[in-house]
Amino acid sequence: MTRYTRIVAVPKDVLFLLDFSPSMYYNLGSSDRMTVAKQAIIDLVADYSAEDRVALVVFDESGRIVSQWTKCDNRGKDNFEGAVMTVYQGEGTNYY
C-alpha cells in the first residue's frame, strides 16, 4: 500500500532587515552591497504568492520601519518594491 502526503502551501510572513549604513555602499566592482541587497529582496518577493506578506525594516544607529506588512498581490509587490528602492544611506552602526 502506497501512502501519499499532500503538501499544502502555507502563507508566510517574511520580515527583511536591511543594514543601510555607509558600509553597504562599498564598491563590489560593477555595483555596491546596497544595490545587490535591494535587488535580492525584490527578486525574492517576485516569487511569493498573493497570500504571503512582507515587511522591511532598516537600521544604522537605530531601526526604522520602511514598509509595514504588505500582501504580495501585484499591487502589494509594486508598493513594496517602491519602498525598497527608497532606502538611502544612513549613519554608521554601533552593532558588532
Side-chain angles (χ1 to χ4, degrees):
M1 179 175 183
T2 304
R3 297 187 127 199
Y4 295 96
T5 302
R6 182 175 179 193
I7 299 173
V8 178
V10 176
K12 58 188 163 285
D13 290 342
V14 179
L15 171 66
F16 291 97
L17 180 62
L18 181 61
D19 177 357
F20 76 123
S21 67
S23 66
M24 288 297 288
Y25 291 87
Y26 289 154
N27 191 332
L28 296 175
S30 64
S31 191
D32 58 55
R33 293 176 182 172
M34 181 58 74
T35 301
V36 171
K38 287 179 179 180
Q39 191 59 54
I41 291 170
I42 291 166
D43 290 347
L44 283 168
V45 172
D47 291 334
Y48 291 172
S49 72
E51 293 79 32
D52 297 331
R53 297 186 316 158
V54 291
L56 176 63
V57 173
V58 295
F59 70 94
D60 56 359
E61 291 179 339
S62 61
R64 179 171 59 91
I65 298 170
V66 175
S67 175
Q68 299 281 345
W69 290 109
T70 303
K71 281 201 156 252
C72 289
D73 55 17
N74 289 335
R75 182 173 165 222
K77 287 180 182 179
D78 287 344
N79 290 340
F80 186 75
E81 181 176 341
V84 169
M85 297 311 293
T86 67
V87 175
Y88 56 91
Q89 182 175 327
E91 303 296 323
T93 59
N94 293 324
Y95 307 108
Y96 302 97

